[in-house]
């Protein structure tokens, strides 16, 4: 039996029109016969606090936060989970009694996808991450929990990469101009930039690649094409997009809202 009035869920971001989250959460909800309404709210930075508070004051059950508001949202909440506090970045909000609590499920979503779908074990490995925005802040604690040997964070704006390397051990900040200081191939190369939205991708030097190197784009869909091409041109044979991470982070958010773990049926094993 479905509830009479749907549970209200929302995604706050800019842009949000392309989001697959409504369909994913609908598929999770239907596994438990839950009736949900998942709204897409395209919102600018200065209106974010008002929209979040208004949503929860009007019977909102739970929310997701996406680009570019993951840092900003953390400031407007009453409490943060350990992962959200450590990263300063929030992708999921739950209302508990009268408190708005912020969580970050991106990191655990990525790590679950790496372990389950890609069968990549982070422990002892060398990682190169392009980007140092909200998504990278969110995934760093979960990645570091699995004790990689080293994480290189390469970002156009060095200060943002440095903010991460100052905060975490085993982490080194770079820009694309200093990538040549890495002297051995990387095991996992992650694209966490928004360059794909503009038809571009970071360039991967061939010296950073061997025949087991994996490329992983946090993005999914057609915007991953430039990174897929860049990875292929550098000699990488194993190239994945972030669709699995999307499904897993959504499943962890769903569990925070409803206390239930949905089964995950990935649309395809996307090895480009
Ligand atoms: P963000 O906070 O806006 O950060 C964007 C990053 O891209 C920054 O590091 C920025 O560098 C870099 N960048 C943007 N334009 C650039 C350019 N022209 N040249 C070089 N670097 C550029 O975004 P985010 O929240 O981190 O998200 C990043 C991507 O991950 C998005 O595509 C998002 O959809 C995806 N994501 C996917 C999932 C999933 O579940 N699969 C989850 C989270 C995020 P600067 O610092 O120099 O500006």
């Amino acid at each position: 039996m479905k509830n009479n009035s749907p549970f209200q869920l929302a995604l706050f971001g800019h842009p949000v029109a392309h989001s697959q989250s409504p369909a994913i959460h609908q598929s999770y909800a239907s596994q438990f016969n839950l009736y949900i309404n998942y709204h897409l709210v395209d919102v600018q930075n200065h209106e974010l606090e008002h929209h979040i508070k208004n949503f929860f004051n009007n019977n909102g059950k739970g929310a997701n936060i996406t680009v570019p508001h993951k840092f900003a949202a953390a400031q407007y909440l009453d409490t943060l989970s350990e992962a959200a506090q450590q990263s300063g970045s929030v992708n999921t909000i739950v209302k508990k009694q009268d408190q708005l609590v912020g969580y970050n499920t991106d990191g655990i979503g990525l790590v679950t996808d790496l372990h389950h779908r890609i069968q990549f074990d982070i422990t002892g490995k060398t990682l190169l991450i392009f980007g140092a925005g909200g998504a990278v802040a969110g995934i760093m604690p979960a990645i570091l929990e699995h004790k990689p040997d080293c994480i290189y964070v390469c970002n156009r704006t060095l200060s943002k990469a440095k903010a991460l390397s100052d905060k975490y051990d085993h982490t080194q900040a770079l820009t694309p101009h200093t990538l040549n200081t890495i002297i051995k191939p990387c095991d996992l190369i992650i694209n966490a930039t928004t360059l794909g939205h503009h038809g571009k991708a970071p360039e991967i030097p061939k010296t950073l690649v061997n025949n087991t190197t994996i490329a992983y784009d946090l993005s999914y869909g057609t915007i991953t094409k430039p990174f897929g091409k860049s990875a292929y041109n550098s000699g990488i044979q194993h190239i994945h997009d972030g669709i699995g991470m999307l499904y897993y982070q959504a499943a962890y958010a769903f569990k925070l809202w409803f206390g239930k773990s949905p089964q995950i049926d990935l649309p395809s094993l996307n090895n480009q």
Side-chain angles (χ1 to χ4, degrees), residues 144-199:
L144 282 158
E145 229 173 78
H146 291 272
K147 304 205 180 320
D149 180 48
C150 177
I151 305 179
Y152 296 103
V153 180
C154 177
N155 198 44
R156 172 180 64 176
T157 310
L158 182 62
S159 59
K160 289 199 207 162
K162 265 194 76 47
L164 292 168
S165 65
D166 288 347
K167 190 165 166 182
Y168 298 113
D169 292 338
H170 303 279
T171 305
Q172 200 174 311
L174 301 163
T175 71
H177 303 293
T178 56
L179 262 184
N180 56 6
T181 58
I182 305 178
I183 51 164
K184 59 174 187 170
C186 298
D187 299 299
L188 176 66
I189 299 180
I190 294 176
N191 179 31
T193 71
T194 47
L195 273 169
H197 294 265
H198 311 289

Side-chain angles (χ1 to χ4, degrees), residues 30-128:
S30 58
Q31 292 179 27
F32 304 100
N33 226 8
L34 292 169
Y35 187 22
I36 65 163
N37 236 337
Y38 191 105
H39 308 268
L40 294 177
V41 189
D42 197 319
V43 62
Q44 301 290 333
N45 215 0
H46 66 277
E47 351 167 84
L48 180 65
E49 180 177 14
H50 167 75
H51 277 271
I52 291 175
K53 294 202 164 148
N54 196 38
F55 172 72
F56 281 103
N57 286 336
N58 285 288
N59 220 17
K61 169 81 176 165
N64 287 131
I65 305 291
T66 189
V67 181
H69 300 317
K70 289 182 181 180
F71 290 127
Q75 300 162 28
Y76 306 135
L77 307 177
D78 301 306
T79 324
L80 297 177
S81 72
E82 200 185 323
Q85 205 164 23
Q86 230 180 332
S87 62
S89 160
V90 162
N91 81 330
T92 302
I93 304 174
V94 185
K95 190 171 183 179
K96 291 189 175 173
Q97 280 96 37
D98 277 340
Q99 300 268 297
L100 294 185
V101 187
Y103 293 84
N104 194 306
T105 67
D106 281 339
I108 191 167
L110 170 65
V111 167
T112 306
D113 194 38
L114 289 174
H115 286 169
H116 287 199
R117 181 172 63 128
I118 307 203
Q119 286 166 9
F120 178 81
D121 182 7
I122 294 164
T123 309
K125 300 295 195 321
T126 300
L127 275 62
L128 166 61

Side-chain angles (χ1 to χ4, degrees), residues 210-257:
N210 65 20
N211 57 11
T212 59
T213 300
I214 289 172
Y216 188 104
D217 197 336
L218 290 200
S219 298
Y220 45 89
T222 53
I223 58 169
T224 62
K225 283 202 167 128
F227 183 66
K229 197 167 163 197
S230 169
Y232 181 81
N233 288 342
S234 73
I236 297 180
Q237 296 163 31
H238 316 281
I239 304 170
H240 300 272
D241 70 9
I243 195 76
M245 173 180 173
L246 181 74
Y247 273 67
Y248 284 116
Q249 64 75 27
Y252 286 111
F254 187 90
K255 179 150 194 231
L256 288 167
W257 298 328

